[in-house]
Amino acid sequence: MTSRRDFLGNALLGAVGLRTAPAILRGRFQLFTGSRSDYSARAIRLIEETVTVDLLNQFRFPDFTTTPVVPQEWFNRPGAFTADDYATYRASGTRVFALGSGPGRYEDSVKFFADWNGFIAGYDEWFLRIDDVRDFARAKSSGRVGIMLTCQTADHFRTVDDIATFFALGQRVSQITYNSTTRTGSGFLADDDAGLTAYGAAVIARMNAVGMAVDLSHCADRTTLDAFTVAKGPVLLSHGSCRALVPGHLRCKTDEMIRKLAATGGVMGIPFLRFLIRGEEPVTIEHALDHFDYAAKLVGVEHVAVGSDLDVHGNSAAIGGPRAPSDQPNFERYHVHRDADGRTTIRGLDHPKRMYDLADGLIRRGYSDTDIKGMLGENWIRVLARIWPS
């Protein structure tokens, strides 16, 4: 293992030309020159030792205030993604980013996968596509950042035969529905929860057969419960919080759902959006940690992990985009509320190195190293090893 002295020098970030600043503050350290945050030596070690996984981190939301638009320029022009861009990802403390796309239409989804496969191939000295469980170790041993191709909808499956096609293109996780009612079932913004449809059951069965993970994060209640009766093997909530702590919020999951998830061997990722963590202001990192605690006490720490629903910089949506998320019907069910600066994210969990803040928070809550490593990534790796083909 890298020694603490070497790590605090430059071993972790030497590949991208960054240098750490070992300012020792009663056992705490500044990771980066000019950083306003310091972290415990234990948190730094845990991040270094763990293949950390965020099962919904959209890499970089589009920023329409830039010309050309980032990240679209990264796909359109070879070399547009620079070493400085990469430094943010490599230094973040997150080793594997699951993209959670939602283009919907078949044609748009094919383009999405083509863009990302080309991007990963074009920067293969920095990135590795996560195709099977062995790739988590490959990412760590090679010093690369892993990218997992996942979707927040099943709308791009024209028939169940498309599931194998998209698996071949790299897709490893799919939500059954997003927010509305589709051919597969109902999302939580639907006017009526029609439950899982016969086609939705067929989609789950084919996903199980292919080895693509089933994600129920945005499903409405009846659709969620129906899916548990159909799915064979573990089911995921890539980003889902506990309704017991946000009473009445239909986007959060009930104790019954979380127990059924755990009974499959599944794992839930806690998101870092303030309105999914607490129903009123203020919302702090401690309230987010309450969801880790609640789920761990309810079903066991092995069923809890991270699904931030942010991008690497801590953005929760596109910047200056032509369409706002609030345009969706029944959007008021999100019960969006903001801090004094208008943020929907949580201070301390809304920046690139938030995994370090989470590790320190879990240390404060008294978890063991083994349990913290599980929540930082090893729980995701374990469950995906059961789902994906070996």
Side-chain angles (χ1 to χ4, degrees):
M1 188 193 315
T2 303
S3 71
R4 183 186 301 174
R5 181 187 300 272
D6 290 340
F7 175 75
L8 291 173
N10 59 14
L12 174 64
L13 301 176
V16 293
L18 297 179
R19 299 184 66 182
T20 58
I24 301 176
L25 307 171
R26 292 188 296 277
R28 300 182 70 82
F29 302 87
Q30 274 190 330
L31 277 180
F32 310 101
T33 302
S35 172
R36 295 181 180 179
S37 298
D38 57 87
Y39 301 100
S40 70
R42 184 180 169 196
I44 294 169
R45 174 179 57 80
L46 288 168
I47 295 294
E48 183 191 22
E49 293 175 353
T50 308
V51 180
T52 53
V53 181
D54 186 344
L55 212 70
L56 188 54
N57 187 314
Q58 301 198 36
F59 201 80
R60 183 69 160 91
F61 277 113
D63 185 350
F64 292 94
T65 67
T66 63
T67 304
V69 174
V70 173
Q72 294 174 5
E73 175 72 357
W74 295 346
F75 303 127
N76 295 337
R77 183 169 62 84
F81 186 85
T82 68
D84 286 342
D85 293 320
Y86 175 65
T88 300
Y89 294 88
R90 184 64 183 88
S92 69
T94 300
R95 174 67 70 175
V96 175
F97 294 76
L99 300 182
S101 78
R105 295 175 62 248
Y106 174 84
E107 295 79 7
D108 294 337
S109 296
V110 169
K111 184 179 187 305
F112 172 86
F113 283 97
D115 284 344
W116 275 103
N117 282 321
F119 176 84
I120 296 168
Y123 301 98
D124 62 351
E125 73 276 26
W126 293 337
F127 295 109
L128 172 70
R129 194 179 81 180
I130 303 296
D131 284 339
D132 63 52
V133 72
R134 293 166 294 187
D135 288 329
F136 292 106
R138 291 189 184 110
K140 183 173 178 61
S141 64
S142 67
R144 288 179 288 177
V145 170
I147 296 178
M148 193 188 307
L149 302 183
T150 69
C151 286
Q152 293 200 67
T153 176
D155 290 352
H156 57 306
F157 302 146
R158 300 168 303 179
T159 72
V160 294
D161 292 337
D162 282 338
I163 295 169
T165 299
F166 281 98
F167 189 88
L169 291 173
Q171 185 180 351
R172 291 299 178 267
V173 180
S174 187
Q175 287 192 54
I176 298 306
T177 66
Y178 189 54
N179 284 340
S180 61
T181 294
T182 66
R183 292 189 300 150
T184 51
S186 296
F188 90 105
L189 293 186
D191 289 330
D192 297 297
D193 183 2
L196 189 72
T197 67
Y199 175 68
V203 165
I204 291 176
R206 185 63 65 88
M207 288 174 65
N208 289 159
V210 168
M212 187 182 293
V214 174
D215 181 1
L216 304 178
S217 295
H218 279 257
C219 291
D221 287 0
R222 180 181 169 191
T223 300
T224 299
L225 293 171
D226 287 349
F228 286 126
T229 69
V230 171
K232 306 296 182 185
V235 174
L236 309 182
L237 295 172
S238 63
H239 55 308
S241 48
C242 306
R243 195 178 300 178
L245 300 183
V246 197
H249 201 306
L250 297 178
R251 175 61 181 78
C252 307
K253 298 302 182 181
T254 65
D255 286 5
E256 178 187 12
M257 296 171 193
I258 297 170
R259 288 192 180 100
K260 287 182 179 293
L261 175 90
T264 72
V267 175
M268 67 181 294
I270 304 301
F272 297 158
L273 293 170
R274 61 196 314 109
F275 50 86
L276 295 182
I277 294 299
R278 194 167 189 244
E280 60 187 9
E281 295 296 326
V283 186
T284 70
I285 186 173
E286 300 304 323
H287 296 112
L289 292 169
D290 289 343
H291 284 260
F292 285 87
D293 284 349
Y294 186 89
K297 291 174 183 176
L298 182 67
V299 294
V301 70
E302 66 271 21
H303 299 289
V304 188
V306 178
S308 71
D309 204 6
L310 307 176
D311 71 4
V312 70
H313 290 289
N315 298 312
S316 60
I319 301 168
R323 181 178 182 273
S326 56
D327 290 344
Q328 300 172 76
N330 300 321
F331 187 81
E332 66 276 3
R333 292 182 190 172
Y334 270 106
H335 303 291
V336 174
H337 54 90
R338 304 171 186 273
D339 71 4
D341 292 335
R343 303 184 189 200
T344 58
T345 53
I346 300 168
R347 292 183 184 275
L349 295 173
D350 59 352
H351 60 90
K353 293 182 281 294
R354 56 186 173 266
M355 279 291 197
Y356 292 96
D357 296 84
L358 177 60
D360 258 337
L362 294 171
I363 290 169
R364 289 196 302 274
R365 295 296 173 104
Y367 289 100
S368 68
D369 283 7
T370 298
D371 288 346
I372 294 172
K373 288 181 179 182
M375 289 185 278
L376 291 176
E378 291 179 0
N379 289 342
W380 285 131
I381 296 170
R382 184 195 67 251
V383 70
L384 292 169
R386 288 187 55 191
I387 298 170
W388 293 346
S390 57

